[in-house]
Amino acid sequence: MNNPLLASANAGLAGKSSPFKYTGLALVLGVLGVGVWHSAHADQPVNGGTLIYATDREPSCLDPHVDGDMPQVFIAQQFLDSLVSMDEKGHIGPWLAKSWQVSPDGKTWTFHLRNDVTFTNGEKFTSQAVKANLDHMRNPATQSSTAGGYIQQYLSTDTPDDYTAVVHLSSPYAAFLEVLAQGFLGIEAPSALKRSRDENCQSPVGSGPFKVVSWDHQNQVVLARNPNYNWAPPYAHHQGPARLEKVIWRFIPEPSVRFAALRSGKVDVIEALPPESEASARKNHDLSVVIKDRPGNPTNGELNTRRAPFNDVRVREAFVRSADIDGALASIYFNTLKRASGPLSSVTPFYSAASAHTDDYDPVRAAKLLDEAGWRQASAGAVRQRNGQSLTVHIPIRATTSNAERTLWEQVQATAGQVGFDVQLEPMGDTEASERQGNWNYDVTLDYWNTNTADVLRIVFGSAFLGAAGSGGYHQNGSGFNNPQFDHLVAAALETQDPSQRADLYAQAQKIVADNYLQLRTYPQSTRLGVYKRAHDVWLEPSLSVTTLYDAWVSP
């Protein structure tokens, strides 16, 4: 889902053996940047020690196959490896797979695997593990909305020998290697996957640089170094075991408390650096800051087109244009966040700037559109009516939604109210909010989707993603958009390996989304870290800008 919780402002493809050329796409991905931070206090790396990492949200499950939320992939990146890697220039490289080929019809992928990898439970990594993991992601019982959603084309895996896996897809999938590089599709030990869903959520087993030791809920997860690790991805700074002996992954939801812990040196790294603390952190000589936008679908409110009033595109455009997002971001986030300018974050491959500014604040046009749609306003500031019905918009607000995010939507409520919308912000627990989302019982649902591929358009707006996928019936296409022309475009973009053709197809798809006003977009997702001077070589891995502590070390 990647995901509906919205707790903070932060959540080359030239394979060695691939016959296809991805040079253009690699160039596009290259603009993503390396996302790496080098400590201003770095000296020679030392082994040993404990790094304390504090984040705002606790995962619901440590297995990133289940559901698929950003807090899961941040911690899973520390103990799971992926089949392939993506470097800072967008090139796909080896990892657990040494090389691969794709068939001329794009439906069969053959992976040649390393033969020297073991999971932290002692189990050998073989082709059976690839099969077990892909099967697990697509098993409905896993309730995998992110990983499972990415590989809807998956049919089966053949294992002709221990180190060859032949993956069969139902249709060509040009984004397959891209999604395989993400931590959401990290590889787990097959024997661990056979345990119950709850047991595997508590202690998944991977082959990564760390292993899960314990999870003290609402407090912390403890990770210990994997002493046998010797298969890091090509973009890593070293090979062999991680430098840190232990990582303590703490949950500190309150932003001011989290930042105070960093400033005092009680924690070494914080995630979700509060926007109001960014200036202070930059001035503090004991701290360093790393901030980078993530690719994907920006933070937004999805407008439910399945029922009134948003089954009318005029009302959808009116709502979007009635919201002064730029003003809200300036006052709430101190100009640290810029408005998202399209259905794709600007750092996403195949982003089209042509769709920017189609949703700018314009209350005069909003009022005109509502008049045309038959929603009349008796007096300035009054709620509009039509056939005895009020123009009411119901927006569930989860208990885990951050205070800043709530304030942003309160400002939307205020400016939309000026043109006659009655915006009801409805606080509720996460369980109730999930049920409302699963039952389409909302007018706006808050969401975002971080991913390294423009194929996110198909997931968020495609008709194939209207059905339930995650826990509680969560569906990825939250607007309910069902448009055959759009479906054709995003499907065609997966059938070609030509970057220029993909760019053209995705530009057309973005225009359809923009013209239909399916989301009220707010700001791009970003990773925002504050780092204390004791910690060094804290990286953001290139595919999703997720923290990796493999190279990290701490001063004695």
Side-chain angles (χ1 to χ4, degrees):
M1 68 187 80
N2 184 353
N3 94 75
L5 296 177
L6 283 176
S8 75
N10 69 4
L13 309 184
K16 280 186 174 179
S17 305
S18 170
F20 299 112
K21 303 298 184 184
Y22 297 81
T23 306
L25 177 57
L27 289 172
V28 175
L29 288 172
V31 304
L32 298 178
V34 63
V36 176
W37 175 82
H38 296 278
S39 168
H41 311 281
D43 198 347
Q44 291 300 311
V46 297
N47 293 323
T50 299
L51 183 144
I52 302 176
Y53 186 98
T55 186
D56 57 338
R57 287 195 290 150
E58 183 172 16
S60 57
C61 171
L62 298 186
D63 175 3
H65 298 177
V66 176
D67 291 330
D69 196 358
M70 289 307 290
Q72 294 173 267
V73 79
F74 266 83
I75 191 167
Q77 190 72 37
Q78 318 313 320
F79 57 81
L80 298 184
D81 293 325
S82 296
L83 205 55
V84 298
S85 62
M86 175 182 281
D87 69 14
E88 66 274 13
K89 294 182 179 179
H91 298 135
I92 293 295
W95 197 345
L96 296 183
K98 297 186 296 183
S99 61
W100 51 89
Q101 300 98 26
V102 58
S103 63
D105 67 0
K107 298 181 181 180
T108 301
W109 294 77
T110 301
F111 294 93
H112 304 284
L113 311 177
R114 294 183 68 127
N115 62 5
D116 59 349
V117 176
T118 57
F119 294 100
T120 53
N121 63 356
E123 191 173 350
K124 287 283 291 183
F125 166 71
T126 68
S127 56
Q128 288 293 336
V130 176
K131 174 178 171 53
N133 276 266
L134 295 177
D135 288 352
H136 182 249
M137 295 171 205
R138 286 299 298 145
N139 185 342
T142 304
Q143 296 185 307
S144 180
S145 58
T146 297
Y150 283 152
I151 58 168
Q152 282 198 344
Q153 304 88 339
Y154 175 73
L155 294 175
S156 63
T157 300
D158 294 335
T159 56
D161 60 53
D162 281 351
Y163 300 107
T164 304
V166 182
V167 179
H168 300 284
L169 307 178
S170 61
S171 58
Y173 188 20
F176 191 39
L177 294 179
E178 298 166 29
V179 299
L180 285 174
Q182 298 184 23
F184 286 115
L185 287 83
I187 302 297
E188 304 178 38
S191 63
L193 292 176
K194 291 179 181 177
R195 302 176 297 175
S196 70
R197 183 175 181 268
D198 288 346
E199 188 176 0
N200 200 56
C201 278
Q202 180 71 22
S203 58
V205 178
S207 59
F210 298 95
K211 61 182 179 181
V212 178
V213 174
S214 62
W215 181 7
D216 179 13
H217 291 256
Q218 300 182 359
N219 185 21
Q220 64 184 27
V221 174
V222 176
L223 306 174
R225 179 167 55 195
N226 173 7
N228 301 316
Y229 192 70
N230 197 29
W231 39 83
Y235 60 74
H237 284 180
H238 80 288
Q239 291 293 317
R243 290 166 174 147
L244 295 168
E245 183 176 354
K246 185 165 71 173
V247 174
I248 297 177
W249 197 276
R250 286 190 177 156
F251 310 114
I252 305 179
E254 175 56 44
S256 61
V257 176
R258 197 167 58 251
F259 183 64
L262 175 72
R263 196 168 48 191
S264 66
K266 292 181 178 177
V267 302
D268 299 301
V269 182
I270 64 167
E271 188 185 313
L273 175 69
E276 63 272 21
S277 303
E278 182 181 327
S280 174
R282 291 188 184 280
K283 294 176 182 175
N284 189 325
H285 295 301
D286 290 338
L287 306 180
S288 294
V289 172
V290 58
I291 297 175
K292 188 174 185 301
D293 284 354
R294 301 174 189 153
N297 181 227
T299 314
N300 67 84
E302 296 178 298
L303 278 54
N304 184 359
T305 64
R306 288 190 159 197
R307 71 182 195 184
F310 290 144
N311 55 357
D312 185 332
V313 67
R314 295 170 297 184
V315 181
R316 296 198 298 270
E317 180 179 352
F319 183 70
V320 168
R321 291 191 178 279
S322 74
D324 184 7
I325 298 299
D326 289 313
L329 292 176
S331 65
I332 300 168
Y333 293 105
F334 310 98
N335 291 313
T336 59
L337 299 176
K338 301 299 181 184
R339 186 174 188 183
S341 58
L344 294 178
S345 161
S346 62
V347 298
T348 311
F350 305 121
Y351 161 78
S352 172
S355 297
H357 303 297
T358 58
D359 52 1
D360 286 351
Y361 178 51
D362 189 344
V364 173
R365 177 167 173 77
K368 179 174 182 293
L369 287 165
L370 291 175
D371 286 341
E372 291 175 358
W375 293 96
R376 304 299 181 190
Q377 192 171 32
S379 60
V383 175
R384 289 178 180 260
Q385 307 278 325
R386 187 179 70 180
N387 299 327
Q389 298 293 317
S390 297
L391 183 55
T392 300
V393 174
H394 299 276
I395 308 179
I397 303 293
R398 294 173 180 266
T400 48
T401 301
S402 70
N403 291 334
E405 189 72 17
R406 290 169 189 261
T407 304
L408 188 155
W409 283 93
E410 287 169 359
Q411 294 208 16
V412 170
Q413 181 183 45
T415 53
Q418 292 172 6
V419 300
F421 282 99
D422 171 27
V423 178
Q424 297 291 320
L425 303 179
E426 299 168 348
M428 63 189 69
D430 287 357
T431 300
E432 183 182 358
S434 295
E435 290 176 356
R436 292 272 298 269
Q437 206 273 356
N439 293 321
W440 297 91
N441 186 12
Y442 58 86
D443 296 312
V444 177
T445 184
L446 311 189
D447 213 337
Y448 59 80
W449 196 287
N450 297 303
T451 188
N452 58 0
T453 171
D455 190 43
V456 68
L457 294 169
R458 183 176 60 94
I459 296 171
V460 175
F461 304 107
S463 63
F465 292 84
L466 289 167
S471 299
Y474 174 83
H475 41 262
Q476 293 101 324
N477 181 348
S479 67
F481 191 54
N482 189 345
N483 182 304
Q485 182 186 3
F486 175 86
D487 288 343
H488 171 75
L489 289 169
V490 291
L494 294 179
E495 295 173 357
T496 177
Q497 308 291 342
D498 184 331
S500 63
Q501 289 185 28
R502 293 183 76 189
D504 177 62
L505 291 164
Y506 281 129
Q508 293 180 60
Q510 288 171 76
K511 185 176 188 310
I512 289 176
V513 171
D515 289 348
N516 280 278
Y517 294 89
L518 303 173
Q519 296 179 331
L520 174 54
R521 292 181 293 274
T522 53
Y523 53 85
Q525 284 279 296
S526 58
T527 297
R528 310 169 63 84
L529 301 183
V531 185
Y532 194 68
K533 62 183 179 181
R534 178 172 175 265
H536 312 279
D537 286 347
V538 177
W539 288 59
L540 301 182
E541 60 79 38
S543 72
L544 287 175
S545 298
V546 168
T547 307
T548 175
L549 299 177
Y550 168 62
D551 290 310
W553 56 282
V554 291
S555 298

